């Protein structure tokens, strides 16, 4: 008997046909159904690999074994009179026909239903996704030391910042892009989440002073690789490496360089490799919201400046760390002078550094209440880097607090949100603008988006508690505060106290007030929060005493007192108007300019 005839007799050919048809059907179902449930594409890849690996084993089983009424037995041990190979072949034929019928149904469904929907969705996506848009993901650290993770973050951010300066290219901000980490990131999923057409990702490996970096640019719609490369460079030439990557990406996306033509996209910010390394470490820590990491960032920025006192980006980074430490953890009056000095130094060293202008504008407004000067710096930051979400956020904050223009503030916030859609700070500043506009529904929607983006976000108050307080939904506010307080380590929430006071539970409001006053003995507590609780309790004299305390400390939220609803009981008091006149003495001059 020929080998082929023996394969046929033992039903190996039928088993191969059945296995192949079944595997194909399973893969097709996984490919079309898994994305609907948000299952990553790597799962499908492993199903394909498993099916390929299983094929030879299935064929060996079909060759050596036969299924009999007594169970599975070696083919050589089954007498010809007891063999049921013919019956098995008939069963296999019926199973093959059934699988092929299912395959036909799937093909028809895919052709006339799923593909039709996919084409429609693709057309929809093509019309909404910007043609030239990119998200830069943090490079994955392949080194043996996890302490080097900051390196991938830092390199990616500097490339991101360089690309954001190119007109005609939409670049998603760090806070949103860096939420997608890892080697198995689904480019299509990221593209849909951030509304971008391309994705830059890769790996970095450090060996002493040497770096090996691999990067690739992927089309998020088609999944096609647009460009890739690998670099082996010394750490001391990192700026040149980042410039090479930025230039290659701009070329692959056919972005017109305009004024940047012929100039490096990433300039050499410092000649000290050690200063650059310290800066990258500080940048990663500064993105965290906890006090310990922010304090350590300040230490590292100062060390970088000690290595190179002309490092403008390090001065701007120091100003940013001071800005985020103030109000939340430290009295602004203790930090604003240092923040202003650092920002001024950054601008003096590099007049084209947008971050320096943004933080200088913030310091001038929050500390000096110099609104005309703040306006110049905030607008200059956006002019220098219109692709910077942070620059638009700070300009929006100026429009709200310096000009009392909620509509203009929200317009800037919307730009910032498009550039960095998952950054809770953009949404939080718009919450203030929506409050000033009397849009309580908008405030609640923004609070929900913050919670979806960062459930642990907390600045003076839980966003949802704040939103319910603005809307006067006292019961919802109280219910939410119970959940939020547990999630935030039992941190007292001034907005919850306001809600308890308005709901008639003044005792609970006073308990929260007492908690804040006790906390103020060991850490900074914003006086405007204390004033708001006293106002809700009808204790106006105590409220104004706390407002004076907040003014001396240069409380940043005090600049919002003109619109926050919890200060409504104080607005008819001459002392309130006198305070507003003192804070906003230069506002009209700024608006007129």
């Amino acid at each position: 008997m020929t080998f082929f005839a023996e394969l046929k007799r033992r039903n190996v050919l039928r088993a191969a046909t059945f296995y192949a048809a079944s595997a194909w059907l399973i893969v097709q179902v996984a490919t079309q159904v898994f994305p609907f449930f948000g299952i990553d594409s790597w799962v499908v890849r492993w199903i394909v690999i498993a099916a390929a690996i299983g094929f030879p084993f299935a064929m060996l089983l079909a060759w050596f074994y036969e299924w009999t009424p007594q169970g599975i037995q070696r083919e050589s041990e089954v007498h010809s009179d007891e063999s049921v190979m013919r019956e098995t072949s008939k069963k296999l034929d019926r199973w093959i026909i059934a699988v092929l019928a299912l395959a036909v149904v799937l093909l028809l469904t895919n052709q006339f239903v799923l593909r039709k929907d996919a084409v429609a969705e693709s057309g929809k996506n093509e019309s909404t996704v910007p043609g030239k848009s990119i998200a830069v993901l943090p490079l994955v650290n392949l080194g043996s030391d996890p302490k080097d993770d900051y390196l991938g973050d830092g390199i990616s951010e500097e490339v991101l910042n360089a690309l954001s300066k190119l007109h005609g290219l939409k670049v998603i901000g760090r806070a949103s892009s860096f939420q997608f980490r890892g080697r198995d990131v689904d480019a299509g999923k990221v593209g849909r989440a951030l509304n971008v057409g391309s994705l830059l990702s890769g790996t970095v490996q450090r060996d002493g002073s040497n770096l090996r970096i691999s990067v690739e640019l992927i089309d998020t719609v088609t999944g096609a690789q647009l460009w890739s490369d690998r670099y082996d460079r010394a750490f001391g030439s990192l700026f040149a490496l980042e410039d090479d990557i930025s230039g290659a990406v701009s070329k692959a996306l056919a972005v017109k360089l305009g004024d940047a033509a012929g100039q490096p996209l990433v300039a050499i910010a410092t000649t000290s490799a050690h200063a650059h390394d310290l800066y990258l470490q500080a940048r990663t820590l500064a993105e965290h919201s906890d006090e310990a990491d922010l304090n350590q960032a300040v230490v590292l920025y100062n060390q970088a400046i000690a290595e190179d006192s002309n490092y403008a980006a390090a001065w701007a980074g120091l100003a940013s760390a001071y800005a985020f430490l103030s109000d939340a953890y430290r009295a602004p009056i203790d930090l604003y002078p240092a923040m202003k000095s650092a920002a001024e130094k950054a601008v003096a060293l590099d007049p084209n550094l947008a971050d320096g202008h943004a933080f200088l504008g913030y310091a001038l407004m929050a500390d000096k209440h110099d609104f005309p000067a703040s306006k110049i710096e905030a607008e200059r930051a956006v002019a220098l880097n219109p692709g910077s979400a942070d620059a638009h956020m700070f300009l929006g904050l100026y429009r709200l607090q310096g000009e009392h223009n909620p509509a203009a503030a929200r317009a800037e916030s919307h730009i910032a949100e498009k550039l960095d859609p998952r950054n809770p700070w953009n949404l939080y500043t718009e919450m203030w603008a929506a409050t000033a506009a009397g849009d309580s529904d908008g405030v609640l929607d923004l609070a929900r988006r913050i919670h979806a983006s960062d459930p642990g976000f907390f600045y003076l108050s839980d966003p949802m508690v704040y939103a319910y307080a603005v809307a006067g939904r006292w019961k919802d506010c109280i219910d939410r505060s119970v959940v939020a307080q547990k999630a935030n380590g039992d941190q007292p929430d001034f907005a919850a106290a306001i809600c308890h006071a308005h709901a008639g539970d003044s005792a609970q409001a006073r308990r929260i007030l007492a908690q804040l006053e006790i906390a103020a003995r060991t850490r900074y507590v914003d006086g405007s929060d204390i004033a708001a609780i006293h106002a809700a309790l009808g204790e106006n004299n105590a409220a104004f005493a706390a407002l004076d305390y907040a003014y001396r400390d240069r409380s940043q939220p005090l600049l919002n007192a003109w619109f926050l609803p919890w200060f409504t009981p104080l607005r008819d008091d001459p002392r309130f108007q006198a305070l507003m006149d003192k804070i906003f003495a230069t506002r009209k001059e700024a608006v007129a300019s």
Side-chain angles (χ1 to χ4, degrees):
M1 183 178 293
T2 65
F3 178 68
F4 180 81
E6 186 64 10
L7 287 174
K8 184 177 180 181
R9 187 187 73 80
R10 299 189 183 203
N11 289 315
V12 174
L13 296 180
R14 283 185 172 86
T17 303
F18 175 70
Y19 187 96
S22 300
W24 179 88
L25 184 63
I26 291 171
V27 169
Q28 291 302 310
V29 170
T31 303
Q32 296 176 29
V33 175
F34 282 18
F36 179 78
F37 293 100
I39 300 174
D40 290 332
S41 59
W42 65 265
V43 178
V44 178
R45 289 197 294 271
W46 277 109
I47 290 176
V48 174
I49 293 171
I53 293 174
F55 181 78
F57 292 98
M59 297 307 98
L60 288 173
L61 287 172
W63 175 266
F64 287 109
Y65 292 92
E66 180 180 346
W67 184 272
T68 70
Q70 290 75 36
I72 297 177
Q73 294 180 305
R74 288 288 297 266
E75 185 275 339
S76 58
E77 298 174 354
V78 179
H79 192 273
S80 59
D81 295 337
E82 299 174 346
S83 176
V84 290
M85 282 188 174
R86 291 185 178 181
E87 289 79 359
T88 301
S89 66
K90 292 178 182 178
K91 291 180 181 179
L92 281 173
D93 287 341
R94 289 194 289 269
W95 276 108
I96 291 171
I97 293 171
V99 169
L100 291 176
L102 285 173
V104 171
V105 171
L106 181 63
L107 286 172
L108 292 174
T109 303
N110 180 58
Q111 181 68 31
F112 296 105
V113 179
L114 298 179
R115 182 166 294 183
K116 180 180 178 180
D117 293 341
V119 170
E121 185 65 23
S122 175
K124 179 182 177 182
N125 290 338
E126 289 175 2
S127 64
T128 57
V129 175
K132 297 184 190 307
S133 54
I134 187 171
V136 180
L137 272 57
L139 299 178
V140 177
N141 174 28
L142 296 184
S144 58
D145 192 346
K147 292 181 180 179
D148 287 336
D149 286 350
Y150 74 90
L151 196 57
D153 288 22
I155 294 171
S156 292
E157 183 180 17
E158 292 190 325
V159 170
L160 183 156
N161 289 339
L163 294 173
S164 71
K165 298 174 185 177
L166 297 178
H167 294 278
L169 178 64
K170 174 188 172 183
V171 183
I172 298 298
R174 170 185 173 130
S176 298
S177 293
F178 281 26
Q179 289 187 19
F180 299 91
R181 293 178 176 272
R183 301 190 65 181
D184 293 318
V185 173
D186 189 317
K189 183 182 292 186
V190 177
R192 290 188 294 273
L194 300 179
N195 193 34
V196 290
S198 54
L199 183 72
L200 183 68
S201 62
T203 61
V204 58
Q205 189 169 4
R206 185 173 193 167
D207 181 13
S209 61
N210 298 316
L211 299 175
R212 168 166 289 183
I213 295 176
S214 297
V215 284
E216 63 175 349
L217 185 67
I218 302 294
D219 186 308
T220 62
V221 177
T222 65
Q225 186 182 75
L226 302 176
W227 165 82
S228 68
D229 208 338
R230 192 182 78 177
Y231 303 87
D232 291 293
R233 302 282 181 87
F235 186 89
S237 62
L238 185 54
F239 287 120
L241 168 60
E242 292 169 349
D243 183 62
D244 288 344
I245 295 173
S246 302
V249 170
S250 65
K251 183 177 179 180
L253 296 179
V255 178
K256 294 182 180 179
L257 298 181
D259 295 338
Q263 302 178 10
L265 295 177
V266 180
I268 299 176
T270 177
T271 56
S272 169
H274 186 45
H276 190 194
D277 195 18
L278 291 166
Y279 170 82
L280 295 179
Q281 294 178 52
R283 279 296 303 146
T284 297
L285 288 172
E287 288 299 314
H288 302 166
S289 59
D290 60 285
E291 184 178 11
D293 280 350
L294 287 170
N295 282 329
Q296 183 60 23
V298 169
V299 171
L300 291 169
Y301 280 131
N302 278 315
Q303 289 178 358
I305 291 168
E307 291 285 331
D308 182 358
S309 60
N310 294 321
Y311 195 173
W315 285 105
L318 182 61
S320 72
Y322 284 142
F324 287 103
L325 274 169
S326 64
D327 274 312
Y329 302 111
R330 304 268 294 279
I333 193 66
D334 295 338
L335 296 179
Y336 280 166
M339 179 179 73
K340 179 174 174 290
S341 177
E344 286 175 334
K345 186 70 173 178
V347 169
L349 290 169
D350 185 357
N352 294 321
L353 186 61
D355 283 353
H357 289 280
F359 285 104
L360 178 56
Y362 177 75
L364 289 167
M365 179 173 68
D367 181 25
K368 300 300 181 183
H369 299 159
D370 187 346
F371 297 106
S374 176
K375 177 181 182 179
I376 292 171
E377 298 300 330
E379 292 180 340
R380 179 64 177 156
V382 170
L384 285 170
N385 191 357
S388 167
D390 289 345
H392 285 284
M393 183 193 75
F394 280 113
L395 180 57
L397 196 59
Y398 163 76
R399 298 289 188 222
L400 176 66
Q401 297 177 334
E403 296 181 355
H404 293 192
N405 188 339
R410 294 186 82 171
E412 293 297 332
S413 292
H414 290 161
I415 297 174
E417 289 160 26
K418 288 180 180 178
L419 293 169
D420 204 353
R422 296 193 173 202
N423 188 335
W425 285 106
N426 296 330
L427 300 169
Y428 199 86
T429 54
E430 191 187 349
M431 276 180 62
W432 282 345
T435 304
D439 181 9
S440 59
D441 289 340
V443 173
L444 187 57
D445 177 64
L446 288 161
R448 287 176 177 141
R449 289 168 60 189
I450 291 174
H451 182 69
S453 174
D454 185 355
F457 184 84
F458 188 100
Y459 174 61
L460 305 178
S461 176
D462 173 78
M464 293 296 295
V465 173
Y466 171 96
Y468 285 133
V470 167
R473 293 170 55 172
W474 313 126
K475 185 180 183 305
D476 290 333
C477 175
I478 292 168
D479 291 343
R480 169 61 192 173
S481 70
V482 174
V483 177
Q485 190 170 9
K486 291 179 180 178
N488 291 295
D490 292 329
Q491 186 170 351
D493 192 328
F494 84 96
I498 293 172
C499 295
H500 280 290
H502 284 286
D505 189 355
S506 59
Q508 180 60 21
R510 292 185 192 282
R511 275 192 287 269
I512 296 174
L513 176 60
Q515 290 175 347
L516 288 169
E517 290 174 337
I518 292 171
R521 298 172 187 171
T522 56
R523 66 173 178 84
Y524 175 71
V525 174
D526 198 296
S528 66
D529 295 347
I530 302 296
I533 300 173
H534 282 300
L537 291 168
E539 301 167 351
N540 287 14
N541 288 336
F544 280 109
L547 286 175
D548 288 340
Y549 170 78
Y551 178 78
R552 288 194 303 271
D553 271 346
R554 289 299 187 267
S555 160
Q556 203 277 337
L558 190 59
L559 297 177
N560 298 334
W562 62 274
F563 66 79
L564 289 172
W566 26 90
F567 293 118
T568 300
L570 307 179
R571 292 202 175 104
D572 291 335
D573 192 307
R575 290 175 290 181
F576 186 83
Q577 191 56 51
L579 178 61
M580 293 298 100
D581 289 343
K582 186 163 53 173
I583 294 172
F584 297 110
T586 65
R587 187 180 71 84
K588 291 182 180 179
E589 179 185 343
V591 174
S593 65

